[in-house]
Structures are given as structure tokens and as C-alpha cells.
């Protein structure tokens, strides 16, 4: 079974009460439950983490090399600042999808730059919690394609 690491960055532990007009009223626990349910339905395993610390996120990505097939990450504010997280993603070379609850391109100028998107297979932004589910589907279709190509080669 394919294994996916889901990482949420700083302040996302406060979802539900944090700027609900922008991020909605769904808590992180509720989002995580939606992710778990979706994963069960489509047949993959997820490990879900949240951290307010850049270094911890870097370590989680580095460790994923040994067990995960792909990564879903909402780097939160680190999206716009972190070369360390970008380098971690490049280092492990696992297919990674960047997710944002809000549409970062409709917001302040400083949020419209992502240091992360350029090393991801794609970015999903503006669909609220559903973005995580779309990211799961996207990774699963990438895995399927990889398997088909592998089978063709053999
Ligand atoms: C966010 C967007 C970021 O700009 C912001 O710093 C966040 C959340 C989102 O999910 O919309 O914390 O990543």
C-alpha cells in the first residue's frame, strides 16, 4: 500500500478559530479526519503531522525518504520564506504536492511567491480542506502512472 506523509506548517493547529473568513471554520482535527477517510477509500496510508518549527518540518521530510512514497505539504507561512524546506523536498526526491486552503494569488503580494511550488509536482490553492483530498487523488494517479511505466519497462 502506498504511504503518504501529510505535513501542516505553522499556525495551522489553530484552524477553526484562526481568521475563519479566510481559512473557514473547519478545525485541523476535522480536516485530518477527512484525509484519513479519503485515504481509506482510495487505498493508501497516511501519516499526518503538524509543526510550528521549520527545522522539524525539514526533518520530517528527510525521514520520509525511508518510508513514504509521496508528500502533501501545506508549508503555511514558510511557503513564502523557506529555502530549507524547498531543499529538503529536492533532497528526498519524492513526488510532493503543495496545498493551501486560501488562494494565495488573491491575497497580499508577499503571499503570491512560493519557494516550494517549483520543486513540487503541482500546487492546489484556494479549495479549502478539499485541497488535501485533491492532493491525495493527484498523488495516487502519479503512483498509478509510475507503476504502468514500470510494467511497460519489464
Ligand atoms: C496558507 C497560506 C499562507 O500564506 C499562510 O501563511 C498560512 C496558510 C493557506 O493554507 O492558505 O498560514 O498556507
Amino acid at each position: 500500500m502506498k504511504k503518504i506523509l501529510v505535513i501542516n506548517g505553522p499556525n495551522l493547529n489553530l484552524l477553526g478559530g484562526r481568521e475563519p473568513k479566510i481559512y473557514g471554520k473547519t478545525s485541523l482535527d476535522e480536516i485530518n479526519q477527512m484525509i484519513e477517510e479519503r485515504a481509506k477509500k482510495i487505498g493508501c496510508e497516511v501519516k499526518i503531522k503538524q509543526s510550528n518549527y521549520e527545522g522539524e518540518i525539514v526533518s520530517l521530510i528527510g525521514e520520509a525518504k525511508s518510508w513514504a512514497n509521496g508528500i502533501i505539504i501545506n508549508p503555511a507561512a514558510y511557503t513564502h520564506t523557506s529555502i530549507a524546506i524547498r531543499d529538503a523536498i529536492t533532497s528526498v526526491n519524492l513526488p510532493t504536492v503543495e496545498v493551501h486552503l486560501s488562494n494565495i494569488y488573491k491575497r497580499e503580494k508577499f503571499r503570491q511567491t512560493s519557494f516550494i511550488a517549483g520543486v513540487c509536482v503541482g500546487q492546489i490553492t484556494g479549495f479549502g480542506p478539499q485541497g488535501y483530498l485533491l492532493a491525495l487523488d493527484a498523488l495516487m494517479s502519479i503512483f498509478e502512472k509510475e507503476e504502468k511505466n514500470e510494467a511497460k519497462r519489464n
Side-chain angles (χ1 to χ4, degrees):
M1 196 180 282
K2 296 293 181 187
K3 296 188 176 88
I4 296 168
L5 172 64
V6 181
I7 308 175
N8 280 299
N11 301 309
L12 294 173
N13 54 317
L14 303 175
L15 284 175
R18 174 193 179 201
E19 300 183 85
K21 280 204 176 118
I22 296 174
Y23 299 116
K25 289 188 180 155
T26 313
S27 71
L28 189 58
D29 278 350
E30 287 166 335
I31 293 176
N32 291 346
Q33 205 171 318
M34 289 165 66
I35 296 172
E36 295 276 9
E37 276 165 22
R38 182 81 187 182
K40 214 175 184 187
K41 208 167 161 188
I42 61 176
C44 62
E45 217 176 276
V46 284
K47 194 189 254 187
I48 307 176
K49 299 278 182 184
Q50 189 276 330
S51 176
N52 291 325
Y53 302 96
E54 186 177 21
E56 198 177 333
I57 294 170
V58 167
S59 297
L60 284 170
I61 295 169
E63 286 155 22
K65 177 87 186 151
S66 65
W67 65 268
N69 301 99
I71 298 173
I72 294 170
I73 184 165
N74 182 346
Y78 289 137
T79 307
H80 322 296
T81 63
S82 181
I83 294 168
I85 292 176
R86 179 192 170 98
D87 285 350
I89 293 169
T90 325
S91 305
V92 297
N93 197 28
L94 291 170
T96 300
V97 179
E98 179 182 332
V99 171
H100 298 286
L101 294 154
S102 64
N103 180 349
I104 57 171
Y105 301 103
K106 272 172 102 175
R107 300 186 61 197
E108 303 96 323
K109 197 102 203 115
F110 67 87
R111 290 188 207 276
Q112 294 176 22
T113 301
S114 169
F115 282 114
I116 312 302
V119 295
C120 291
V121 284
Q123 184 193 57
I124 298 168
T125 184
F127 294 97
Q130 203 202 343
Y132 293 91
L133 312 184
L134 296 170
L136 273 184
D137 290 351
L139 278 182
M140 286 301 268
S141 63
I142 288 167
F143 299 149
E144 252 172 55
K145 263 188 220 146
E146 278 174 359
E147 271 166 18
K148 271 190 199 147
N149 286 342
E150 185 72 15
K152 258 190 218 160
R153 252 181 265 129
N154 297 332

